[in-house]
Amino acid sequence: MSINPTSKKYRSFLLLFIFFFSGFAALIYQVIWQRWLVFYTGISSVSISLIVSAFMAGLGLGYLAGGQLADRVGKNRPILLFVLAELGIGTFALFSKAIIYDWLYQSNALEGGSNFQIYLILFLVLLFPTFLMGLSLPLLSKAFEEKKSENQANYISLLYFTNTLGAAAGTLITSFVLIRAIGFENAVRLGATFNFICAATAALIYYFETKNSALFIAESDNLRHFEPENKATFSWNRNFIYWIVQYTISGFMAICFEILWFRMIETMMKSLALTFSIILTIYLAMMAIGTYSGVRFAKKFTGNRLKLFLNAQYTLYIYTIGSILILQWAVSDISALAFLFEYFKSYEALFTPTIVISTMLLIPLFLMAVPTFIMGFSFTISQLIIQDKFEEVGRKVGWLQFMNIVGSTIGAWFVTLIGFNYLGTALTIKIIGLIGLIYILAIHRQGFNSLFSRVLMAFALIITIFLIPSNENFWMKLSGMTNKQKFIIEEDETALSFIKILGDESYVYTNGLGQSMFPFNRDKNHITLGAIPALLHPNPQDIGIIGLGSACTLFNAGGRTETKNLDCFEVIVNQPAAVYEYIKRTNDSAALRIMNDKRVNLILQDGRYFLHRNPKLYDIIEADALRPKSSYAGNLYSVEYFQLLKKRLKKGGIAITWGATGRVRDGFAKVFPYVYEMDSFMIIGSDQEIDFSETEILKRVENSFTKNYYLQANINIREVMLKSLKTKKNIQNGKLMITKRFNSDMWPKDEFDFGRVWAKILGENESYL
């Protein structure tokens, strides 16, 4: 009796199928765990890099260990270990909220810890599930033995394809469907369900494979075929070391370009909550398609595979740099794309069909589709070259993927800490592009292509890199500006800050999206958010403002002599430098006054993070107006955040938020017993009734310090106050609202509810605030 080949083929297909859902679950976790962990670390590029690198470190160690195990445990055992890994991942997922959110965040674990301590905790927390995730690919690479090494390489590539495709689907569906429909916690539970289904299915495969193998052994006279795997020393030959270096470079390059693409596309999209998911979906989906295409192509290709691989790498680099250069030129010089240039210049995010299709689909595809396709294609070709011994399959996959992760980790820190902080995006792109010359050198040493073509390839790449403009010109074109004197840019790892000087008014942008403006007397909303609460409170000694922007809210909050401390929290570290540069160019006296005010304490970190970790109490806390669809906006519109504000207010203190949606208003009323609305957008809450006596308020307005303070910015504060008082509405007076319509940390509905946006895409040309 022999093993039924059809049955084996079916079980192999089934294993590929469940590996899709394993990848799907993994990206549910990455998207959501990253959101949970920023509560603990604060929202900044550095903290997110810490989270991502901790995630990758666990994966890398898992790849390495999985490769060693796969080659040592014997026939069919890799499938059993995969079962145990999926069970472990799913089990951790079920308890992940209790560990990550309830313990790390709510209990303030490692309060006041250094960056190293924070990273160590993140690494240890994520090590268990990510290590198990990393085990999967090398283990399944040895699940079935193919007679031809080429078939084994194709099987590995198909595993990579299905897992990556599942990851792409997981990213897209999690962000667009699951979070909106069931929230973070239930989405994680769904991921755990997928893991358990994968484990159960793989256990059945293991059972039948073991049963059939036993029957075959019993009827076979030659048992040597089923002896344990050869545990001979792994062959570290020169060719394999070359591939180790190549996979490290590939990982470095891939993450560098991914981060650079994200910064560019986020700025062009104007910083939406879905930006990261759109970029990651395209990245993973095209890589999966490239991997599968490589499998299909390799079956018919009869040429030199190494030559094909090296030329593909060169194509990746020159296309990536060239596409960025073409985009720069096209948006500013092609009349048919003038609408994009104007959109990049504009203050608001627009959701018209043309803008959405261009910025959310066509531009990301133009920049990313070809390079990521080549990455996947190259994986398949490289496996066909590398995999020549079945007894070394696991270790080769493990070592290569581990070094790829090492390269990715180095790349992430290089771009974040060196590229953005010291080089700027444009120069970083040039430096990464120069790596392409390594492949021209390799082509030359192998004697591939003609000498003329090699020289032409090098010349083309160097010229393309040289033509990338300076950082200021680079971002000026992608911001719809043409005059350097009217454009201020500051860039670091936290974000891009622009100030555009447009006639009598100037506008502050963060990652392409308008935030506030100069001069202060033109910015009515931020005057209201800053001045009205300061004049309502009888004795506002300590005021906290979350968000600097143009400093308009901060300035207007400082108009009382009673105010001793103005703490301003700003997560964009470079924003003060942009404001100071604006002051230098325009001599704006009001902006200069508040930026040099001795009462002001600029705290350059996440405001919610600071309030959670510090017990200081305030008379007023205000979060500068943040669009509910912006990335991480849900963290400043959740019930838990409002509860934190209430905890950090003195008795009779005032909290202020923008009542952007019904959920925000109801969530605010669920926490504060006294809630008022003014100017149809500002929501004010307190634990005590607020005195709106016009007589008392106008006495404060007539104070000489207060009058002169606001007059410096040409603000008629009496007129502003009287108009606002006429708009006051009592939302609730002494009782907490009982409602199910609110945002929470576990379900930021407004941030991910794009139903209205899709409706607008089909409707009129308008912006979404």
Side-chain angles (χ1 to χ4, degrees):
M1 179 179 179
S2 63
I3 301 173
N4 187 338
T6 304
S7 179
K8 178 181 177 181
K9 183 177 180 180
Y10 170 76
R11 289 195 288 271
S12 177
F13 173 79
L14 189 59
L15 206 55
L16 290 170
F17 181 73
I18 65 172
F19 207 34
F20 172 94
F21 288 98
S22 179
F24 192 111
L27 264 294
I28 291 178
Y29 303 144
Q30 182 173 347
V31 170
I32 293 176
W33 289 347
Q34 181 171 306
R35 286 289 303 230
W36 288 352
L37 285 165
V38 297
F39 289 118
Y40 171 61
T41 64
I43 299 172
S44 71
S45 292
V46 173
S47 67
I48 291 172
S49 293
L50 281 171
I51 294 166
V52 171
S53 58
F55 202 95
M56 290 193 297
L59 284 174
L61 292 174
Y63 284 133
L64 197 58
Q68 298 295 320
L69 286 170
D71 285 344
R72 293 175 182 276
V73 294
K75 187 174 178 63
N76 296 329
R77 292 293 179 85
I79 301 176
L80 177 60
L81 292 177
F82 174 76
V83 171
L84 298 176
E86 290 295 301
L87 288 173
I89 296 166
T91 302
F92 179 89
L94 291 179
F95 293 96
S96 61
K97 175 183 175 288
I99 296 169
I100 296 173
Y101 182 81
D102 297 339
W103 175 60
L104 274 183
Y105 172 62
Q106 295 285 27
S107 68
N108 231 354
L110 244 189
E111 183 175 359
S114 65
N115 283 340
F116 174 76
Q117 290 172 314
I118 290 173
Y119 177 78
L120 183 61
I121 288 293
L122 291 177
F123 172 73
L124 293 175
V125 166
L126 294 175
L127 177 61
F128 180 75
T130 55
F131 178 83
L132 295 179
M133 292 175 193
L135 289 176
S136 300
L137 180 61
L139 286 176
L140 293 189
S141 297
K142 289 291 290 279
F144 298 104
E145 180 177 1
E146 300 290 345
K147 293 181 179 180
K148 295 182 179 180
S149 61
E150 181 175 304
N151 291 340
Q152 196 72 42
N154 284 335
Y155 173 67
I156 294 167
S157 297
L158 288 173
L159 281 170
Y160 191 77
F161 157 69
T162 55
N163 193 250
T164 306
L165 189 65
T171 304
L172 184 70
I173 294 173
T174 298
S175 299
F176 281 81
V177 179
L178 295 181
I179 295 175
R180 179 186 176 189
I182 60 177
F184 290 150
E185 194 170 3
N186 287 327
V188 168
R189 288 171 181 158
L190 178 63
T193 302
F194 286 152
N195 289 130
F196 294 141
I197 292 172
C198 289
T201 308
L204 287 173
I205 295 172
Y206 172 73
Y207 170 77
F208 286 111
E209 281 295 306
T210 305
K211 180 180 178 182
N212 288 341
S213 296
L215 289 172
F216 182 62
I217 292 171
E219 298 180 5
S220 175
D221 294 326
N222 184 6
L223 302 182
R224 287 175 296 176
H225 180 74
F226 294 94
E227 290 176 357
E229 295 285 354
N230 181 7
K231 298 182 177 61
T233 303
F234 185 67
S235 55
W236 283 91
N237 56 54
R238 183 176 179 181
N239 285 338
F240 187 69
I241 292 173
Y242 162 81
W243 286 108
I244 285 283
V245 173
Q246 157 55 30
Y247 268 63
T248 307
I249 293 172
S250 177
F252 178 87
M253 169 273 299
I255 198 69
C256 286
F257 281 142
E258 182 183 357
I259 295 170
L260 291 165
W261 283 327
F262 178 77
R263 174 148 290 190
M264 292 173 61
I265 294 167
E266 182 185 36
T267 302
M268 290 183 279
M269 280 190 190
K270 297 188 180 291
S271 194
L272 292 174
L274 296 178
T275 304
F276 175 74
S277 297
I278 291 170
I279 292 170
L280 190 56
T281 298
I282 293 173
Y283 185 98
L284 293 170
M286 291 308 302
M287 188 178 291
I289 293 170
T291 305
Y292 183 74
S293 299
V295 173
R296 303 286 294 180
F297 178 82
K299 291 180 179 179
K300 300 178 181 179
F301 181 72
T302 57
N304 188 301
R305 287 169 177 164
L306 182 59
K307 179 180 178 180
L308 174 64
F309 177 86
L310 293 173
N311 279 283
Q313 300 312 294
Y314 170 80
T315 304
L316 189 160
Y317 281 90
I318 195 165
Y319 180 91
T320 300
I321 308 302
S323 63
I324 294 171
L325 184 63
I326 290 170
L327 179 65
Q328 288 270 308
W329 163 75
V331 296
S332 59
D333 292 358
I334 295 180
S335 58
L337 298 179
F339 72 95
L340 280 175
F341 194 73
E342 289 302 314
Y343 176 63
F344 297 158
K345 182 179 180 178
S346 67
Y347 189 83
E348 293 292 349
L350 296 176
F351 293 94
T352 62
T354 304
I355 294 297
V356 168
I357 292 171
S358 298
T359 61
M360 295 188 184
L361 184 63
L362 296 182
I363 290 176
L365 282 173
F366 174 68
L367 293 174
M368 298 173 59
V370 171
T372 51
F373 177 91
I374 294 174
M375 290 177 196
F377 183 87
S378 299
F379 177 85
T380 298
I381 302 304
S382 67
Q383 287 297 314
L384 286 166
I385 299 171
I386 296 165
Q387 299 297 349
D388 54 0
K389 296 179 181 178
F390 180 72
E391 61 270 18
E392 295 182 351
V393 163
R395 280 169 287 180
K396 283 184 175 178
V397 171
W399 269 110
L400 291 170
Q401 291 302 105
F402 170 72
M403 294 309 299
N404 188 260
I405 290 290
V406 170
S408 295
T409 304
I410 295 170
W413 285 110
F414 169 75
V415 173
T416 303
L417 297 183
I418 298 175
F420 290 149
N421 282 340
Y422 300 103
L423 306 175
T425 296
L427 184 54
T428 304
I429 290 170
K430 292 183 178 185
I431 291 172
I432 304 304
L434 288 172
I435 297 174
L437 294 174
I438 294 174
Y439 296 97
I440 299 175
L441 179 61
I443 290 170
H444 175 74
R445 293 194 64 179
Q446 293 291 330
F448 299 145
N449 303 353
S450 66
L451 177 61
F452 175 77
S453 67
R454 297 195 297 264
V455 172
L456 186 62
M457 289 166 70
F459 179 77
L461 181 59
I462 292 169
I463 288 297
T464 305
I465 292 170
F466 176 77
L467 290 175
I468 295 289
S470 67
N471 204 52
E472 185 177 19
N473 288 334
F474 180 93
W475 285 115
M476 195 164 67
K477 286 191 175 185
L478 294 184
S479 301
M481 297 293 287
T482 56
N483 188 338
K484 286 185 180 181
Q485 299 304 313
K486 305 293 183 183
F487 182 67
I488 297 169
I489 173 176
E490 294 289 340
E491 181 177 18
D492 61 21
E493 80 267 11
T494 56
L496 280 166
S497 292
F498 303 146
I499 297 180
K500 302 176 185 179
I501 303 172
L502 306 172
D504 295 333
E505 297 177 347
S506 301
Y507 299 89
V508 178
Y509 294 74
T510 299
N511 292 334
L513 184 62
Q515 303 294 333
S516 51
M517 63 181 292
F518 301 97
F520 294 158
N521 64 336
R522 304 283 185 92
D523 197 345
K524 305 301 181 185
N525 287 349
H526 290 93
I527 291 172
T528 300
L529 288 166
I532 302 306
L535 292 166
L536 286 177
H537 196 287
N539 186 26
Q541 294 187 26
D542 297 290
I543 298 177
I545 305 292
I546 299 178
L548 175 64
S550 65
C552 183
T553 303
L554 181 63
F555 174 86
N556 282 281
R560 297 281 299 278
T561 55
E562 294 88 345
T563 301
K564 306 303 179 186
N565 297 293
L566 284 163
D567 289 348
C568 181
F569 310 100
E570 178 52 65
V571 73
I572 312 300
V573 173
N574 59 53
Q575 206 156 76
V579 174
Y580 277 119
E581 179 61 26
Y582 169 80
I583 294 169
K584 180 181 177 181
R585 295 191 191 185
T586 63
N587 297 315
D588 188 314
S589 60
L592 178 62
R593 173 169 183 168
I594 192 60
M595 293 301 289
N596 290 337
D597 196 316
K598 293 181 180 180
R599 300 173 299 169
V600 171
N601 179 27
L602 284 176
I603 302 170
L604 298 177
Q605 61 177 259
D606 181 356
R608 174 170 173 167
Y609 176 76
F610 181 92
L611 292 174
H612 178 73
R613 294 171 69 100
N614 292 273
K616 182 176 179 179
L617 300 181
Y618 294 88
D619 298 294
I620 297 171
I621 303 177
E622 186 272 339
D624 225 352
L626 184 65
R627 295 164 182 80
K629 296 286 179 281
S630 296
S631 298
Y632 295 97
N635 292 3
L636 295 183
Y637 287 123
S638 68
V639 164
E640 291 85 354
Y641 167 69
F642 295 146
Q643 290 168 341
L644 176 61
L645 294 187
K646 187 177 181 181
K647 186 178 179 181
R648 292 293 179 258
L649 287 173
K650 300 176 185 177
K651 187 176 182 180
I654 296 174
I656 302 95
T657 191
W658 175 28
T661 70
R663 292 190 187 104
V664 173
R665 294 163 186 258
D666 287 0
F668 203 71
K670 185 178 175 67
V671 174
F672 292 97
Y674 296 91
V675 180
Y676 312 87
E677 180 187 83
M678 297 185 75
D679 288 285
S680 301
F681 76 92
M682 181 174 68
I683 308 298
I684 302 171
S686 181
D687 63 345
Q688 295 184 0
E689 187 174 5
I690 298 175
D691 183 6
F692 284 90
S693 168
E694 186 174 310
T695 302
E696 290 299 317
I697 292 170
L698 290 180
K699 283 182 182 179
R700 299 165 193 158
V701 169
E702 294 300 325
N703 177 277
S704 59
F705 171 85
T706 301
K707 287 176 65 176
N708 291 331
Y709 181 88
Y710 289 107
L711 282 175
Q712 185 171 358
N714 294 317
I715 297 171
N716 186 335
I717 194 61
R718 180 184 178 89
E719 180 182 331
V720 170
M721 193 71 232
L722 288 173
K723 284 183 178 179
S724 290
L725 287 172
K726 291 178 181 178
T727 67
K728 181 188 74 96
K729 294 179 182 178
N730 286 10
I731 293 179
Q732 67 182 25
N733 191 23
K735 291 184 179 180
L736 296 178
M737 180 180 289
I738 300 174
T739 178
K740 294 183 179 180
R741 188 179 72 156
F742 57 86
N743 297 296
S744 70
D745 286 346
M746 291 299 106
W747 200 345
K749 298 177 183 178
D750 283 331
E751 185 180 343
F752 289 89
D753 185 358
F754 276 76
R756 289 175 59 193
V757 172
W758 306 135
K760 289 187 177 187
I761 292 172
L762 302 174
E764 298 179 357
N765 181 352
E766 57 180 323
S767 63
Y768 182 81
L769 297 180

